[in-house]
Amino acid sequence: MIPTNVGSRQPEPSASAAAGDYEETVGRGVIDAPVLVHQSDSTIIYGLHTGTFIKVARDPQPSQEQITRLLQEQNVAAFLPESVRKREVLGISDYNGRTAVEFKWANGITIEEWLQKVDRRSDSTLQGEDFTVRVRAAMAIVKTLADFHDNGVVYNSLNTRDIVLSPTEEGYSATFIDLSRSVIVSRDDFSGESIDKVRAKENDLRTLGKLLYQVFGGSLEDLDPARIHSDYGDDGFVPTRKRGKHQLLREGLPIYLGSLISALLDHALLSTGVCYSDARDVYHDMKVYVDDASGQLGRIDLDDDMMTSRLRLPQNMFYGRQAQMSLILHLFQTSIEFGNVPVPQMAMISGCPGSGKSTLVDQLKQPLIDLGGCFIEGKFDKAMRPDTVLATALDRFFGGILETSKFVGNVQVSLRWRIHDILGSTENNPFLEMLPNLKAWLSEDSSQFSATQSNDIIGMGSSGLAVSSQRVKYLFCKLIGAMASRSSPLILFLDDLQWADETTLDIARMIMTDPDITHFLFLGSYRDTEVNRSHPLLSKLNTMEEQGVTVVDVKVGPIQKEVVNTMISEILYTPPSLCRPLSSIIHSKTGGVIMFILRFLQSLNADDKLWFNMGGKRWMYDLDKIRHTEIQDDVVSHMTHQMARLSKDMRMGLMFAACLGRKFPSSVLAKATKHEVTDAFTQTCIDYGFFQLDDVNVYMWQHDQVQQAAYELIPKNKQDSYHLLIGTRLYMDTPDEKMKDLIFFVVDNMNHGVALINDHDKRTEVAQLNLQAGEKALSSSAFQSASEYLLAGISFLDTESWSTDYDLALRLYDAASEALFVVGEFDTLMTIVEEPLRMAKCFEDKLNLYNNMIRTHSCTSMVENGISTCLSIISQLGEDFPTEITAEIYHREAQEVKRLLHGKTKNDLLSLPTMTDSNSLGAMHFLSHLLSLAFNTRPALSPIAVFRLVRMTLRKGMCNNSAFAFACYAGWLVSDPVNDVEAGYYMGKISVEMMQRQGCTEATAQIYALVYGFVNIQKEPWQAGLQKHLTAFEVGSQVGDMEYAFTNIFQHYNASLFGCGHDLSVIAEALRNYMQRAYQCKQINLWKCLATLLQLSHDLMGIKDNAFTPHFTEETCYQDAKLKKSFAVCRGLVHKRKYIAILTGDVISAATLYNVANEYTLGSIGLGRQIHMMVGEFVDGLLGFLLGRKYKGTEESTKWMAIGCKCLDVIKGHERNSDWNFANKMHLLEAEYYFCIDDHENAVASYRLAITLAREHRFCHEEGLAEEKFATYLMYCNQSDAALYHFTNAKIAYTKWGAKVLADRISKAMAILAPLCSRGSTAF
């Protein structure tokens, strides 16, 4: 029914109820029986039987203005597009001689009626579902007004009675029903050409504010324009912070929406740019609120900071980095799914200081953890010890495990076992002393582990360092590998890598290029403003890329203006449109650097240019003053300028704290300031965003640039004085038993004041402190830091120190030379040792210095210098070592050892007493150095060194070098011209047992390389020693003996390929991995040897890849080795080529290579007895008999037959010691010999025996070779069927080996032979 109540607005009836009740003739202007629906002071509305309505002037004689308004409704309705929500006007009609507007009724209820319903069910606060309904209604109203304005119409009549709300799926739609006061304006008018019309639009916005105020529960009676505009006087802007009554907006209204409404009401602020000028901006800002998934904009309460108008910045603000975040998450998910295969990937985040690199990772941390990742993070500091960062990060991670029990059940047990396998026992393990939390975690249930001596993994090196540099790198690498798994992928984040040390960068490289480490993501960040092309970080990254690592560069630049606006909007809880003028100026002044933006905002707040208005419950700002604010060029200078305005006590506290480094306990700060700094100071620093609490009573600077700003408060000419004062206070206030805990704080500060300390006793005291710090750093394997402390300690010494403080001076120089050697500062080492070598009181005090000198000579290819120094020292230690070795000397030395060994049982040798004489111990040590140095350059000295080592052990007792000495002696026994395999085998076993009894397992790699790589291969099956070499590699890697570690790897795969005939594809894959590691560890010669094996595998498999890439080709590698006299590499390449030539039937090339191989002399301790060399003797025999047949009846044949027979005799000798390894080879050579002399019966028997033994002993490659040779012989005998049968067997064996090239070669021979055969081939 159409409502008949007159005098008040009522809800409109539905269209279906009104339609058809009345008839009218609209076209003739005749309207029948209208019903009065509504009347006001000026108009009346009638309902018609057609369901439409008319509106006429109440006055029978309406004024022109009233008629104009009625006509305006028609004009505006026609002007606006259908999409705009307004009352639908059907046209202009005549009613009893009066102008009438005909329209359709708008469905819904008016705002006035809606508010009555909502207010009845709401309490005094805005919350829950009720508040959501109000927001949706407000959005609908703002949208319709924005549509009006966008289409050139000012509504000019916003009130609760002229807007109808109707529900929609999304919330509400708002229809504006009275268009009589609306004004059509052009866009130019909006720009200011028609002041009256522009003001009408401004009035729309102001009345919109009132309307929204009502929608959110406010009463118009509460509005106080004087209070709203309280910050503006007759003369314009007056910044005040009046508290007064601040309940202008209803309790529970979010600050964001309160700011929006307040800005609409504060029309007087329009000229400042702080208020709205466009309804569309209001709509967008409302939509921002509705779309805020985080709920951050919904803040309601006013805290003390806002009440006092102090701007507090939230931590870890994250803006404008979504693309970078998505990229890193994708990398991590890839590492989970594919495990870094086939290409390992890492992400390097770069940007200027304060650009938000660390914040980006902070935001990534939880999503990465949610994906199952374990997150480890460390941060480098410009002023602190970089070589402790990785250990600290890992230890903190395990501390978290102890606290949270992250790993439980089988996952925990599995992880513990994996780590235990790498590190061994927790007892007396120097590496674990660097990681006390890991040690504690491993010790929680140590009963599950079998008793393992720590010496199996960790041993004292010859230098006396607890854990060598290479060992540290290896163990860190292995620890990461043990931690990362598919079930618990690992993320390692290292921040500020521009300050990283060489060791940590090298560990990162090793981790990224280690093929055994999977399900791992490395994240790094650095300041691109501080890293140029020559920086070590970029050099290391380039090296990684060369080694196959994909380095993904994630750029974090300045944020865009719109992002700055979003950030400021959320900080100030203020709609984005209201922040845009402010953010534009701030972006311009700060360049979009996040940290600079935040600090600038704080300074504006401190200067009363940005404040919180209690009346409007919103942040306000003085745009003009901000625009004219001068700002420093960089954030550090800006912060220093702002800090300088703080109180004197605050400034002093900041300056002292800045001298303590990035992180410090509150107790240290208290001592540094003589307890004048209180908890109030630290809390204020946290409030200002200077500090953050890192742990219980441990504070950390919010950013290193904040620390730098505080540090620059100190005048440059007084900075050293401040440091010295702090160091002195800490030293004087710390008892001796506590000094070890604060030693780094004390020394770091005192060293700054070196130029200010002139008193000899005080300088000596500081030198002693530096020694203490250096030794502590060494015990933690922080070698770079140790070298810096020790060199600083040396700088405090003077010429008197050698007489007044001799022990201190000597200890400083000794420790410094060790640390410098580890970090590779060889030039500095050679410079500093000159003084202690000159000033030392006795020869014994020089030995450690000489030791580090000789090691330096070895590393810098100054081998002759090293040999000369060794000989000189050995002589001074009482060993008269000959410098020129004659045959007579060689024989005499050998006989003396044999004499001393005569009659000694195994038990006698293993029960020798421990060597105690210091000179003898020193001589043993330097004889070992001599043996290593002379091995390649002066081989004649090597056996004499071995004899002396064994002789001294027999006379003076056993030491750590004795087991290695006996292993070398075993190698000498099995070599030419002695060839006493039984005696060598016996001595080899004694050397292994001697090593185990002595507990000097750090020598495992050396001893296993000699015993299992040179000696036992002549006695035991070659398959038996393979695992020993892998064990030796692991131990050698753990103790830092990379040369012998990779020697064992070469021996393992040399035996697998040449000796055992294992699957070539498996060998090739393993070799690629080990080659990568060898190159990482700078074992270039061994890398070349491994590349030779890989190239042989490629050649046999038919793979065209260059195994020597990217550094060489096979030929350039050979020429390089020849130039550098690396004869072992040359021999390996020649034997590889000769082997391929024989197997592929290229006898001419093989003959040439035979002659080339003879140009390279063998070493003096068993080098001729490596497996590829012994297989080479077998191959030479095949070549000799093959060419003997080829040139039969000529002198050339005689020569080659002699070579074949000589090789056969050598192989027979080997077979007597090890029939397993050599019987099949001997019988094949015999068969070839019988082939040459036409002894058919013996040839057939020998071929068959060679095939059978090769098969039984699992030498499939030599089984294939024997089958091929037998088939060739049968072809010679015109037995095609039998030949085809054995060719088929040869192909099967070669295929099993993986030698596609050889299998294809056999297939071609079979294709030629097949037409000559009967239907089936048979064995012969």
Side-chain angles (χ1 to χ4, degrees):
M1 295 293 295
I2 299 176
T4 59
N5 306 65
V6 178
S8 63
R9 295 293 288 270
Q10 299 294 331
E12 299 176 10
S14 66
S16 59
D21 290 346
Y22 301 96
E23 294 182 357
E24 64 177 347
T25 309
V26 177
R28 297 194 303 268
V30 178
I31 303 175
D32 297 327
V35 177
L36 177 65
V37 175
H38 170 80
Q39 65 178 346
S40 67
D41 292 340
S42 59
T43 61
I44 299 175
I45 296 178
Y46 295 101
L48 306 180
H49 76 282
T50 59
T52 61
F53 299 80
I54 60 170
K55 178 180 180 181
V56 298
R58 185 169 184 173
D59 191 343
Q61 300 294 324
S63 67
Q64 184 61 43
E65 181 183 353
Q66 291 175 321
I67 295 172
T68 301
R69 284 189 177 182
L70 292 172
L71 295 174
Q72 183 69 356
E73 289 211 42
Q74 161 69 16
N75 294 336
V76 171
F79 180 80
L80 289 170
E82 291 184 7
S83 59
V84 177
R85 305 280 308 184
K86 80 286 184 186
R87 181 156 62 188
E88 185 179 352
V89 177
L90 300 175
I92 299 296
S93 302
D94 180 84
Y95 175 70
N96 295 333
R98 286 180 287 176
T99 302
V101 177
E102 184 178 3
F103 61 90
K104 288 186 177 180
W105 197 267
N107 291 327
I109 61 175
T110 64
I111 295 292
E112 184 177 56
E113 295 165 322
W114 178 85
L115 282 172
Q116 291 172 2
K117 287 185 177 182
V118 174
D119 287 342
R120 276 198 301 268
R121 65 171 184 255
S122 302
D123 56 20
S124 60
T125 61
L126 298 172
Q127 56 184 355
E129 184 178 349
D130 168 66
F131 180 68
T132 303
V133 168
R134 293 177 186 268
V135 171
R136 290 174 179 170
M139 278 282 288
I141 296 167
V142 175
K143 181 180 186 304
T144 301
L145 181 62
D147 289 343
F148 266 67
H149 286 188
D150 289 348
N151 288 281
V153 176
V154 173
Y155 184 55
N156 214 19
S157 184
L158 278 174
N159 59 74
T160 57
R161 297 183 301 276
D162 288 332
I163 301 175
V164 173
L165 285 179
S166 58
T168 66
E169 291 183 1
E170 298 177 354
Y172 287 105
S173 64
T175 302
F176 291 1
I177 58 175
D178 185 357
L179 306 179
S180 63
R181 289 180 175 83
S182 299
V183 180
I184 299 174
V185 294
S186 68
R187 297 196 178 277
D188 290 339
D189 290 332
F190 280 157
S191 300
E193 291 184 4
S194 175
I195 300 300
D196 289 338
K197 293 177 180 179
V198 170
R199 285 178 178 170
K201 181 185 176 187
E202 292 170 3
N203 184 64
D204 262 4
L205 294 172
R206 187 166 63 254
T207 53
L208 174 64
K210 294 178 182 179
L211 185 58
L212 294 182
Y213 180 78
Q214 292 175 277
V215 167
F216 287 105
S219 171
L220 292 179
E221 296 175 358
D222 294 334
L223 288 177
D224 182 358
R227 183 165 69 248
I228 297 172
H229 309 317
S230 61
D231 293 331
Y232 293 83
D234 295 335
D235 298 327
F237 181 76
V238 182
T240 65
R241 295 183 179 183
K242 292 185 179 180
R243 296 173 65 90
K245 182 181 179 182
H246 60 270
Q247 298 297 334
L248 174 64
L249 298 171
R250 186 169 177 181
E251 189 71 23
L253 183 67
I255 297 170
Y256 179 95
L257 293 178
S259 298
L260 184 147
I261 295 171
S262 179
L264 287 168
L265 293 171
D266 288 350
H267 171 66
L269 305 184
L270 186 60
S271 62
T272 68
V274 188
C275 288
Y276 286 106
S277 60
D278 194 297
R280 185 59 63 184
D281 289 340
V282 183
Y283 175 74
H284 286 156
D285 288 346
M286 287 288 297
K287 194 170 189 310
V288 167
Y289 178 84
V290 171
D291 293 342
D292 175 35
S294 68
Q296 180 175 342
L297 299 179
R299 178 175 178 177
I300 297 171
D301 59 304
L302 298 182
D303 57 20
D304 290 340
D305 289 324
M306 285 187 176
M307 298 282 281
T308 56
S309 196
R310 184 172 67 181
L311 179 64
R312 181 188 290 271
L313 298 175
Q315 295 184 8
N316 298 325
M317 303 192 69
F318 182 69
Y319 293 92
R321 310 299 187 203
Q322 283 72 22
Q324 293 92 332
M325 189 170 180
S326 297
L327 174 58
I328 294 172
L329 284 172
H330 173 72
L331 290 175
F332 178 66
Q333 289 170 322
T334 301
S335 73
I336 294 176
E337 185 173 355
F338 300 106
N340 300 73
V341 178
V343 179
Q345 298 181 108
M346 64 187 296
M348 292 300 296
I349 306 167
S350 62
C352 66
S355 59
K357 302 181 293 296
S358 304
T359 304
L360 169 62
V361 178
D362 284 340
Q363 292 295 319
L364 280 163
K365 191 184 305 181
Q366 193 57 51
L368 291 171
I369 292 173
D370 291 342
L371 287 169
C374 299
F375 198 91
I376 301 173
E377 57 184 322
K379 182 177 178 66
F380 291 93
D381 186 347
K382 186 177 184 179
M384 299 302 287
R385 299 168 298 283
D387 42 9
T388 63
V389 169
L390 184 56
T392 301
L394 282 163
D395 196 54
R396 189 163 186 166
F397 173 78
F398 283 104
I401 292 179
L402 284 169
E403 293 175 2
T404 61
S405 301
K406 176 178 175 61
F407 298 103
V408 295
N410 292 334
V411 175
Q412 176 173 263
V413 172
S414 175
L415 179 60
R416 274 205 177 107
W417 270 110
R418 294 199 304 270
I419 295 177
H420 180 268
D421 287 345
I422 297 302
L423 302 181
S425 171
T426 58
E427 298 300 323
N428 302 316
N429 191 325
F431 183 75
L432 284 177
E433 297 307 315
M434 302 162 57
L435 304 166
N437 285 324
L438 172 58
K439 182 178 180 180
W441 183 68
L442 289 174
S443 301
E444 280 185 340
D445 189 15
S446 58
S447 61
Q448 63 179 296
F449 305 121
S450 58
T452 305
Q453 296 296 320
S454 61
N455 281 342
D456 288 345
I457 305 298
I458 306 292
M460 294 293 289
S462 59
S463 67
L465 295 179
V467 189
S468 75
S469 177
Q470 187 58 47
R471 193 185 311 179
V472 167
K473 296 176 187 177
Y474 175 84
L475 289 175
F476 273 127
C477 191
K478 283 297 182 182
L479 179 59
I480 293 293
M483 294 169 65
S485 66
R486 177 177 287 276
S487 60
S488 299
L490 191 66
I491 307 101
L492 173 62
F493 170 54
L494 295 180
D495 199 3
D496 282 327
L497 281 167
Q498 72 276 359
W499 296 323
D501 61 302
E502 180 69 25
T503 297
T504 306
L505 292 177
D506 215 35
I507 292 171
R509 176 183 58 80
M510 291 174 67
I511 291 171
M512 288 310 305
T513 54
D514 189 333
D516 291 341
I517 296 179
T518 58
H519 305 101
F520 170 79
L521 178 64
F522 182 92
L523 295 178
S525 77
Y526 67 94
R527 296 179 179 178
D528 51 14
T529 55
E530 299 182 27
V531 175
N532 55 29
R533 292 183 180 179
S534 61
H535 194 281
L537 173 61
L538 286 192
S539 174
K540 200 67 68 177
L541 291 176
N542 290 336
T543 300
M544 287 189 227
E545 288 186 308
E546 290 174 359
Q547 296 178 358
V549 177
T550 298
V551 180
V552 179
D553 192 8
V554 182
K555 290 286 187 184
V556 178
I559 57 177
Q560 300 299 313
K561 186 185 297 184
E562 195 56 37
V563 179
V564 174
N565 190 59
T566 300
M567 180 173 73
I568 294 176
S569 169
E570 294 184 4
I571 291 173
L572 302 181
Y573 303 100
T574 301
S577 298
L578 300 178
C579 295
R580 194 160 282 111
L582 173 64
S583 63
S584 179
I585 295 174
I586 290 177
H587 183 271
S588 175
K589 288 181 176 291
T590 61
V593 177
I594 291 179
M595 188 176 183
F596 207 168
I597 294 168
L598 299 177
R599 296 299 166 180
F600 186 47
L601 278 173
Q602 282 188 316
S603 67
L604 294 176
N605 179 232
D607 293 341
D608 287 335
K609 298 170 184 173
L610 173 68
W611 71 99
F612 191 76
N613 175 277
M614 295 301 299
K617 289 180 70 173
R618 58 182 290 208
W619 285 95
M620 307 281 285
Y621 52 86
D622 186 339
L623 201 61
D624 189 57
K625 287 187 176 181
I626 294 172
R627 186 180 290 110
H628 291 93
T629 297
E630 293 186 0
I631 188 170
Q632 285 73 19
D633 291 337
D634 61 89
V635 66
V636 172
S637 301
H638 176 75
M639 286 190 289
T640 301
H641 178 74
Q642 294 301 315
M643 290 175 178
R645 301 167 62 184
L646 299 172
S647 67
K648 180 180 178 181
D649 289 344
M650 279 294 295
R651 295 198 308 273
M652 289 300 295
L654 286 170
M655 290 188 287
F656 278 110
C659 293
L660 293 176
R662 174 173 166 264
K663 187 186 300 185
F664 49 86
S666 57
S667 58
V668 173
L669 180 60
K671 288 182 179 184
T673 58
K674 298 192 72 172
H675 303 276
E676 294 173 1
V677 169
T678 64
D679 291 340
F681 165 77
T682 52
Q683 185 57 51
T684 302
C685 286
I686 290 175
D687 291 342
Y688 274 111
F690 298 153
F691 295 171
Q692 65 185 45
L693 196 61
D694 183 63
D695 206 342
V696 179
N697 294 324
V698 176
Y699 295 95
M700 182 170 67
W701 288 94
Q702 187 70 247
H703 195 281
D704 61 87
Q705 297 230 301
V706 181
Q707 180 191 354
Q708 183 64 30
Y711 189 72
E712 292 189 3
L713 288 171
I714 309 172
K716 290 192 180 296
N717 62 345
K718 293 185 178 181
Q719 289 174 351
D720 290 345
S721 300
Y722 267 76
H723 280 290
L724 183 58
L725 175 63
I726 291 171
T728 303
R729 285 180 174 179
L730 293 175
Y731 177 60
M732 298 299 292
D733 199 19
T734 305
D736 291 343
E737 63 272 16
K738 298 284 187 180
M739 183 56 67
K740 65 178 182 179
D741 298 325
L742 296 185
I743 187 65
F744 294 133
F745 284 110
V746 173
V747 174
D748 286 339
N749 281 282
M750 281 191 167
N751 286 348
H752 275 276
V754 59
L756 303 176
I757 306 174
N758 298 315
D759 182 76
H760 171 80
D761 292 341
K762 290 181 179 178
R763 292 179 68 87
T764 300
E765 204 167 12
V766 179
Q768 180 68 50
L769 289 169
N770 272 282
L771 175 62
Q772 188 177 344
E775 289 179 338
K776 182 176 180 179
L778 281 177
S779 69
S780 300
S781 301
F783 303 112
Q784 184 65 49
S785 297
S787 67
E788 292 171 3
Y789 287 127
L790 295 165
L791 289 175
I794 288 172
S795 71
F796 282 98
L797 301 177
D798 53 32
T799 54
E800 296 179 25
S801 299
W802 285 104
S803 56
T804 59
D805 303 282
Y806 178 81
D807 289 341
L808 170 63
L810 186 63
R811 285 177 64 191
L812 276 169
Y813 277 101
D814 267 357
S817 68
E818 291 187 2
L820 289 168
F821 174 78
V822 172
V823 298
E825 295 285 346
F826 300 130
D827 291 340
T828 305
L829 188 157
M830 296 303 292
T831 300
I832 69 160
V833 297
E834 294 177 1
E835 181 171 338
L837 289 176
R838 186 176 67 254
M839 303 299 293
K841 292 180 179 179
C842 60
F843 178 70
E844 288 73 14
D845 287 347
K846 302 178 183 180
L847 287 179
N848 193 50
L849 296 164
Y850 278 129
N851 175 55
N852 291 317
M853 277 182 62
I854 292 168
R855 296 161 75 205
T856 299
H857 288 318
S858 177
C859 290
T860 55
S861 300
M862 299 175 66
V863 177
E864 285 298 330
N865 289 352
I867 291 173
S868 299
T869 305
C870 276
L871 291 172
S872 172
I873 295 169
I874 291 167
S875 176
Q876 293 181 70
L877 288 169
E879 280 292 313
D880 185 19
F881 197 96
T883 56
E884 297 295 331
I885 309 301
T886 64
E888 181 183 353
I889 291 174
Y890 176 88
H891 180 73
R892 184 175 68 243
E893 295 281 342
Q895 289 302 118
E896 178 62 14
V897 173
K898 286 184 178 181
R899 184 187 69 77
L900 291 171
L901 283 170
H902 183 69
K904 294 280 193 306
T905 65
K906 175 182 176 181
N907 189 57
D908 292 336
L909 295 174
L910 295 176
S911 302
L912 288 170
T914 300
M915 188 181 293
T916 57
D917 178 65
S918 59
N919 280 4
S920 299
L921 286 167
M924 290 287 287
H925 184 79
F926 286 100
L927 279 169
S928 296
H929 274 318
L930 178 64
L931 175 59
S932 177
L933 288 164
F935 195 83
N936 281 319
T937 56
R938 293 175 65 179
L941 293 175
S942 294
I944 308 303
V946 172
F947 298 150
R948 292 297 179 92
L949 285 165
V950 174
R951 191 172 76 181
M952 289 184 68
T953 297
L954 294 171
R955 287 177 173 175
K956 302 292 181 69
M958 283 195 293
C959 67
N960 284 348
N961 301 106
S962 297
F964 180 63
F966 273 80
C968 291
Y969 185 65
W972 174 78
L973 286 170
V974 299
S975 301
D976 290 330
V978 183
N979 290 324
D980 190 343
V981 173
E982 290 297 332
Y985 184 64
Y986 175 74
M987 285 297 171
K989 289 197 292 185
I990 287 177
S991 72
V992 173
E993 289 193 44
M994 192 177 287
M995 174 192 72
Q996 293 168 345
R997 288 208 181 184
Q998 285 288 104
C1000 54
T1001 50
E1002 68 272 12
T1004 298
Q1006 297 176 351
I1007 292 171
Y1008 279 19
L1010 289 165
V1011 173
Y1012 294 103
F1014 292 101
V1015 179
N1016 288 13
I1017 57 174
Q1018 303 191 58
K1019 189 74 176 174
E1020 297 177 349
W1022 287 340
Q1023 294 92 337
L1026 294 178
Q1027 186 57 44
K1028 296 291 186 181
H1029 290 305
L1030 295 179
T1031 300
F1033 172 77
E1034 292 299 325
V1035 178
S1037 298
Q1038 290 161 2
V1039 301
D1041 188 358
M1042 302 315 297
E1043 179 181 1
Y1044 277 97
F1046 282 104
T1047 297
N1048 277 276
I1049 286 298
F1050 169 74
Q1051 290 171 329
H1052 174 92
Y1053 289 101
N1054 187 49
S1056 294
L1057 202 163
F1058 283 103
C1060 304
H1062 288 167
D1063 189 327
L1064 290 171
S1065 63
V1066 175
I1067 291 173
E1069 184 61 31
L1071 283 170
R1072 292 185 193 102
N1073 295 336
Y1074 283 112
M1075 281 176 63
Q1076 202 169 51
R1077 297 187 193 181
Y1079 199 83
Q1080 289 173 7
C1081 297
K1082 301 177 182 178
Q1083 298 298 319
I1084 304 304
N1085 276 347
L1086 284 162
W1087 176 87
K1088 292 175 181 177
C1089 293
L1090 294 175
T1092 301
L1093 296 180
L1094 179 59
Q1095 190 63 59
L1096 174 58
S1097 301
H1098 284 179
D1099 292 348
L1100 291 169
M1101 290 189 291
I1103 296 174
K1104 300 300 182 182
D1105 295 350
N1106 172 26
F1108 298 85
T1109 190
H1111 312 288
F1112 300 99
T1113 63
E1114 182 176 335
E1115 182 57 30
T1116 58
C1117 180
Y1118 175 74
Q1119 295 300 331
D1120 179 73
K1122 190 174 181 181
L1123 180 66
K1124 295 177 179 176
K1125 298 184 178 179
S1126 300
F1127 297 138
V1129 175
C1130 293
R1131 276 193 299 271
L1133 282 165
V1134 172
H1135 279 283
K1136 171 261 174 187
R1137 292 174 177 178
K1138 182 175 62 175
Y1139 189 68
I1140 282 288
I1142 284 292
L1143 292 181
T1144 56
D1146 187 358
V1147 292
I1148 303 302
S1149 296
T1152 303
L1153 290 164
Y1154 173 85
N1155 295 322
V1156 174
N1158 290 332
E1159 297 176 8
Y1160 300 107
T1161 58
L1162 300 178
S1164 53
I1165 307 180
L1167 261 182
R1169 300 306 185 208
Q1170 291 191 82
I1171 286 178
H1172 70 287
M1173 299 295 288
M1174 291 191 286
V1175 171
E1177 292 169 332
F1178 163 61
V1179 167
D1180 289 345
L1182 292 176
L1183 176 65
F1185 292 134
L1186 183 62
L1187 292 176
R1189 291 198 307 273
K1190 179 179 178 66
Y1191 300 118
K1192 196 169 186 177
T1194 66
E1195 291 184 5
E1196 193 71 9
S1197 174
T1198 303
K1199 182 188 80 171
W1200 284 107
M1201 284 295 293
I1203 291 172
C1205 290
K1206 178 183 176 182
C1207 291
L1208 176 57
D1209 289 341
V1210 170
I1211 296 300
K1212 285 181 178 180
H1214 293 327
E1215 191 272 342
R1216 285 191 289 273
N1217 295 312
S1218 177
D1219 62 339
W1220 179 278
N1221 297 326
F1222 295 99
N1224 70 298
K1225 299 174 184 61
M1226 179 188 73
H1227 288 301
L1228 185 56
L1229 286 178
E1230 286 178 338
E1232 290 290 286
Y1233 169 74
Y1234 292 135
F1235 186 179
C1236 290
I1237 63 173
D1238 294 324
D1239 186 340
H1240 179 70
E1241 183 177 348
N1242 282 323
V1244 170
S1246 295
Y1247 280 127
R1248 287 175 173 169
L1249 200 49
I1251 292 169
T1252 300
L1253 291 172
R1255 184 182 302 117
E1256 290 176 353
H1257 297 172
R1258 303 190 302 279
F1259 300 148
C1260 71
H1261 61 319
E1262 291 178 353
E1263 179 188 351
L1265 180 62
E1267 291 277 12
E1268 179 187 354
K1269 291 294 182 182
F1270 192 19
T1272 303
Y1273 174 72
L1274 292 171
M1275 285 182 63
Y1276 172 79
C1277 297
N1278 294 319
Q1279 299 182 32
S1280 301
D1281 288 352
L1284 184 60
Y1285 173 82
H1286 287 286
F1287 271 134
T1288 302
N1289 289 345
K1291 181 179 178 181
I1292 293 171
Y1294 284 148
T1295 301
K1296 181 180 179 182
W1297 188 23
K1300 182 177 181 299
V1301 168
L1302 303 184
D1304 290 347
R1305 180 170 176 268
I1306 297 299
S1307 295
K1308 292 178 181 178
M1310 292 169 64
I1312 296 172
L1313 185 61
L1316 305 176
C1317 300
S1318 59
R1319 288 187 177 181
S1321 59
T1322 57
F1324 179 81

